[in-house]
Amino acid sequence: MKIQDFCDMKKFEEIMCNWAGSTGLATVAVGEDGNYISDCYNFTDFCIKLTRGRAEGCKRCEKNDREGKGVYHCHAGLVDFGIPITLEDGTVLGSVIGGQVLPEAPDEEKFRETARELGINEEKYIKALKQVKIKTQQEIEASANLLGDVINMFVRASYTSSMNKKILEKLRTGISNAADQIVLANEKTKLIEGFSHRQKMLALNASIEAARAGDLGRGFSVVAVEVQKLAFRMADASISIKEALDMVTSTILSLNQHDITADDRG
């Protein structure tokens, strides 16, 4: 299951963009397969161009992306976050990751050590580091949790809405099919009524012929009487079935008509 299958991704992007614009933190959303499902917002040159620009740096960053939960310090010394995107039942659909900020003024020497480890020009690294925003730990955690809560509420609401639409569509199809079956059943009931009427006539004719035959027709007369009884029972059953079908038909057709009217209203 993919978020893109049931979410309005334009609105999803708006949430991500507005959050990034208001907090100044970097963020991006990824699916369960780890692939990006949104644009990247506020990504720093320190992280993207320099740290991830080196094979070893990229390897360490990707490890942080996979394993980082909540708010944490990345291998390079910045603060990042990883918030899972889940459904109500706990199904994980992806995550929002980001951060790329400092909780306090940096110790430049530590970052120079990282630059040397990764083979990055120290001066360029420190210059890029100075462009990284500083946020308190409390601000970072509050911002990350807010984004996680809003995105999860949006995704869960979108999923519920999608499921409800599918259920309603099945119900509509079921009502429509039921209406068709009810019409067919009514037609069959009319046929039964016709059979019953003809059966009564045959039974009556048989009784008359049996009476004319006198003693020779006594055995046949018994059969004729039983056929007549069967014809009357068939007629009674047909009436009961028709009454029940009329009630069901009225209900089903009413629901079907209501469904059509609702569709016309959009």
Side-chain angles (χ1 to χ4, degrees):
M1 184 190 307
K2 295 182 179 180
I3 294 173
Q4 307 93 301
D5 292 339
F6 58 84
C7 268
D8 181 338
M9 295 308 293
K10 182 178 179 181
K11 291 186 180 298
F12 188 99
E13 291 281 358
E14 286 179 2
I15 294 172
M16 299 285 288
C17 181
N18 290 337
W19 177 88
S22 63
T23 64
L25 277 68
T27 190
V28 66
V30 297
E32 179 61 11
D33 56 6
N35 293 323
Y36 291 164
I37 60 172
S38 79
D39 286 339
C40 300
Y41 298 98
N42 286 343
F43 271 42
T44 64
D45 287 347
F46 177 90
C47 290
I48 300 303
K49 291 185 178 180
L50 298 175
T51 306
R52 290 180 185 258
R54 293 289 179 172
E56 179 59 27
C58 187
K59 179 181 178 182
R60 294 180 185 182
C61 288
E62 289 177 347
K63 184 175 186 294
N64 281 162
D65 289 346
R66 289 193 304 271
E67 301 176 359
K69 305 297 180 186
V71 177
Y72 60 92
H73 283 76
C74 76
H75 72 95
L78 302 189
V79 175
D80 286 344
F81 64 82
I83 309 295
I85 302 173
T86 63
L87 296 180
E88 292 288 355
D89 62 2
T91 301
V92 178
L93 301 177
S95 62
V96 283
I97 58 178
Q100 299 181 12
V101 291
L102 290 162
E104 58 189 7
D107 180 345
E108 290 189 9
E109 184 53 39
K110 288 184 178 180
F111 285 92
R112 287 182 182 278
E113 289 178 8
T114 300
R116 289 192 292 269
E117 285 180 15
L118 301 178
I120 301 171
N121 180 280
E122 291 183 40
E123 298 310 317
K124 287 185 177 180
Y125 210 48
I126 297 303
K127 183 178 179 180
L129 177 65
K130 291 179 178 180
Q131 301 303 312
V132 174
K133 292 181 173 62
I134 297 177
K135 300 281 186 179
T136 67
Q137 186 73 19
Q138 184 177 4
E139 287 176 327
I140 298 168
E141 290 178 356
S143 297
N145 290 333
L146 174 62
L147 178 61
D149 289 344
V150 173
I151 284 293
N152 272 297
M153 283 190 289
F154 175 70
V155 168
R156 292 172 185 178
S158 298
Y159 178 77
T160 300
S161 176
S162 176
M163 291 300 100
N164 285 344
K165 286 180 181 179
K166 289 181 180 180
I167 291 172
L168 285 174
E169 187 57 37
K170 287 182 179 180
L171 180 58
R172 288 171 180 170
T173 302
I175 290 174
S176 179
N177 290 339
D180 292 340
Q181 293 300 317
I182 289 297
V183 170
L184 180 61
N186 274 311
E187 292 175 353
K188 295 296 184 183
T189 302
K190 289 179 183 178
L191 288 177
I192 293 175
E193 290 176 347
F195 293 153
S196 174
H197 180 70
R198 288 194 294 274
Q199 195 79 355
K200 286 180 183 178
M201 295 303 298
L202 288 173
L204 178 61
N205 290 335
S207 296
I208 293 173
E209 291 301 323
R212 287 178 179 174
D215 292 340
L216 295 177
R218 286 178 182 174
F220 185 68
S221 178
V222 173
V223 175
V225 170
E226 291 303 318
V227 170
Q228 193 171 33
K229 288 179 181 179
L230 179 62
F232 278 106
R233 284 199 297 271
M234 185 184 297
D236 290 340
S238 177
I239 291 172
S240 298
I241 292 171
K242 188 176 186 305
E243 289 175 350
L245 282 174
D246 285 343
M247 292 178 63
V248 176
T249 299
S250 177
T251 301
I252 293 296
L253 292 180
S254 175
L255 287 172
N256 198 35
Q257 184 60 43
H258 179 272
D259 194 48
I260 293 171
T261 302
D263 284 343
D264 291 339
R265 289 198 300 266

